[in-house]
């Protein structure tokens, strides 16, 4: 017996989302980010898609600072993208991400006291997918 239309559509969205997350991680790694976590769960509150870090120039000459980003990955089919995917990160979603980021930071502070000095920010990686199978192409943008 086959899946119902809603179940099949949900499964297709999950496959597309996993594909987009994989492309987002590869993109971030190529851009010099070290992936710390993928799909980090904060209990019943939800999950952070990707947590990554890299060192960037600091404020003092010759210094550097550790930057940690909490990344929301948004993947869409190019044909269905009426507005940029990053625009679908609602105020409520941003608030949830902020709470999850706070939980992650509290957990990391237990083992790395210097994390209090790290810089933190919230980013969106947008993946726009067109085509299917061998003809599938994706455009990845980091905001």
């Amino acid at each position: 017996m086959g899946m119902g239309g809603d179940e099949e559509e949900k499964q297709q969205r999950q496959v597309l989302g996993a594909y987009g997350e994989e492309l987002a991680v590869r993109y971030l790694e190529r851009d010099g980010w070290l992936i710390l976590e993928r799909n980090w769960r904060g209990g019943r509150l939800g999950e952070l898609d990707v947590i990554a870090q890299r060192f960037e120039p600091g404020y003092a000459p010759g210094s550097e600072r550790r930057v940690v980003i909490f990344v929301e990955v948004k993947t869409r089919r190019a044909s269905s993208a009426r507005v940029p995917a990053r625009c679908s990160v609602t105020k409520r979603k941003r608030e949830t991400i902020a709470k999850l980021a706070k939980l992650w930071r509290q957990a990391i502070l237990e083992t790395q006291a210097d994390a209090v000095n790290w810089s933190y920010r919230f980013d969106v990686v947008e993946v726009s997918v067109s085509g299917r199978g061998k003809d599938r192409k994706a455009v990845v943008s980091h905001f």
Side-chain angles (χ1 to χ4, degrees):
M1 184 182 249
M3 285 188 266
D6 288 344
E7 286 180 45
E8 189 174 331
E9 187 176 315
K10 181 180 177 183
Q11 184 180 29
Q12 287 176 357
R13 278 194 315 268
Q14 288 173 337
V15 168
L16 183 66
Y19 174 71
E21 273 191 29
E22 186 59 37
L23 291 179
V25 164
R26 287 190 216 160
Y27 178 91
L28 291 167
E29 288 174 333
R30 279 194 306 274
D31 198 32
W33 292 95
L34 173 67
I35 306 304
L36 301 176
E37 307 269 2
R38 288 181 71 172
N39 302 312
W40 185 84
R41 294 215 48 90
R44 293 169 49 200
L45 190 56
E47 75 175 27
L48 295 166
D49 292 337
V50 179
I51 304 170
Q53 74 168 18
R54 76 176 176 193
F55 290 91
E56 296 184 346
Y59 302 112
S63 69
E64 60 182 14
R65 63 191 171 101
R66 185 185 313 221
V67 177
V68 174
I69 56 174
F70 302 97
V71 181
E72 177 70 8
V73 179
K74 289 295 185 184
T75 307
R76 288 200 178 155
R77 292 215 166 274
S79 59
S80 67
R82 289 170 188 70
V83 296
R86 64 188 175 277
C87 294
S88 69
V89 182
T90 63
K91 179 181 179 193
R92 183 175 179 177
K93 181 65 175 178
R94 290 190 306 269
E95 289 169 350
T96 299
I97 291 169
K99 290 175 187 173
L100 287 163
K102 185 177 179 180
L103 282 175
W104 182 86
R105 187 171 180 254
Q106 287 170 342
I108 209 75
L109 279 168
E110 292 177 13
T111 59
Q112 298 188 35
D114 69 326
V116 72
N117 298 318
W118 301 351
S119 295
Y120 299 90
R121 76 174 192 236
F122 165 62
D123 289 8
V124 176
V125 172
E126 182 178 291
V127 181
S128 178
V129 180
S130 60
R132 296 188 186 273
K134 293 178 190 173
D135 295 328
R136 184 162 53 179
K137 293 180 176 55
V139 176
V140 181
S141 304
H142 181 189
F143 302 94

